[in-house]
Amino acid sequence: MTNNNNIENSTDWAKQAYAQLKQKQEQQKQEQQKLEQQKQEQQKLEQQKQEQQKQEQQKQEQQKQEQQLKKNDRDFFDDSKPKLGKFDEEFTWSAMVLAAQGKKVDQISLDEIDWLSRLRRGLEETRKGFVSELLDNLGDDPLTPETLDDLETLLLRADAGINSTEKIMNSLRKKLNEEVVGGEEGIKFLKQELISILEEPIKNSNKTILVPEKGKLNIWLIVGVNGVGKTTTIGKLAHLSTRSSYKTLIAAADTFRAAAVEQLMIWGERSNIDVISNQSRNADPAAVVFDAINSAVNRGTELLLVDTAGRLQNKNNLMDELSKIRKIIDKKVPNANVESLLVLDASQGQNGLKQAKGFSKSANLSGAIITKLDGTSRGGVSLAVSLEVNLPIRFIGAGEGIRDLRPFNSFEFIEALLADK
Ligand SMILES: Nc1nc2c(ncn2[C@@H]2O[C@H](COP(=O)(O)OP(=O)(O)OP(=O)(O)O)[C@@H](O)[C@H]2O)c(=O)[nH]1
Ligand SMILES: [Mg+2]
């Protein structure tokens, strides 16, 4: 009986255990099925997502291509983008000049080649009247006192000024007294002398090249008599500045000439830069600068370019106006880096030099910008500015386009000036 009971009990237990096992297995199966289902759903979702992403990518790719096509069209007409010139004589020359400065091929940008070609073309007039004749006279023969006399005349004709010419001639005569100087060597020596004149004030300023200090307010006052190219230069500088990622702002402090603000607005628009102005007639220029400084400080501007009048009722007014502007700047933002840059029109030759002397007395100048080097035969005036007014040349302009201005480089300049040799 006891045994039977035991057997019955054990079969019950076995039955129960079996039933439980079955139930558990069923549960596991269901859970597995559920998991499988979830997994499948997830995979499906993943696939859908991938498909969507792929479609999105394709769409973006297509849009990019369309934009690029449109951009290519725009660039073709847009003068602000460099275009690859022909592999002509100019191109080779530009590459040579850059290589002579130690730049490797992969460091030379299209922009640089493009500029050097244009600079060379710009200086063509000066070169024709000066170098070509000089080279005709020199030939490959050694220098003689007579060829030096010719050189003297040519330097004066290119508006290098009496003092620079004399300095160069003295060095050449000294060299000639010491040794026989061949034609080619003479040109090399001449180039070195010319470069050293241009480099002297640059060296004295302790700044090889003028660049705004990042993360700080730099204010560049652009001054000069009327028509020399101040406003155009501001337009070109603004372009250079934004392209170099400086936060830039323009102050229209020429309130004397009616159309000045409008002209500046157009330049501002070209580079997407705001122009602070006061449209009312004969507004106070110093007040415009005051407002512009406020905006500059609020916006974290890094370069504020100030356009000034080239002509007022009389010359004293002009100088007074400039010193008033300067005082406001010094008082309001004493820690800003301030540059007072005199714009000189190369085609005015020695006349421009007189202006430089006049301004340097009262406008606290720190540098010069030579414009209109294209189409003048008086590019030599740059030498006179460096030697006689002791102003470092900071930029040169050779054309009316937005890209026709570059930081001054004496080596490039002299190579472009004496480009035939
Ligand atoms: N060829 C050439 N023309 C230039 C250059 N820079 C300026 N100009 C032209 O010179 C003329 C006068 O230029 P502006 O920039 O208005 O001169 P500005 O000094 O601001 O003149 P004011 O405001 O009247 O004092 C314009 O026709 C410019 O296009 C240059 O580098 N080359
Ligand atoms: Mg102007």
Side-chain angles (χ1 to χ4, degrees), residues 222-236 254 257 260 263-264 267 307-311 343 345 370-375 396-401 404-405:
I222 307 299
V223 307
V225 298
N226 66 302
V228 288
K230 295 181 294 299
T231 308
T232 309
T233 298
I234 293 217
K236 295 171 181 174
D254 176 3
R257 202 163 58 82
Q263 188 191 357
L264 210 48
W267 278 109
D307 191 23
T308 63
R311 179 175 42 194
V343 179
D345 172 349
I370 316 275
T371 60
K372 309 194 195 180
L373 273 166
D374 51 315
I396 48 173
E400 292 174 278
D404 293 333
L405 179 102

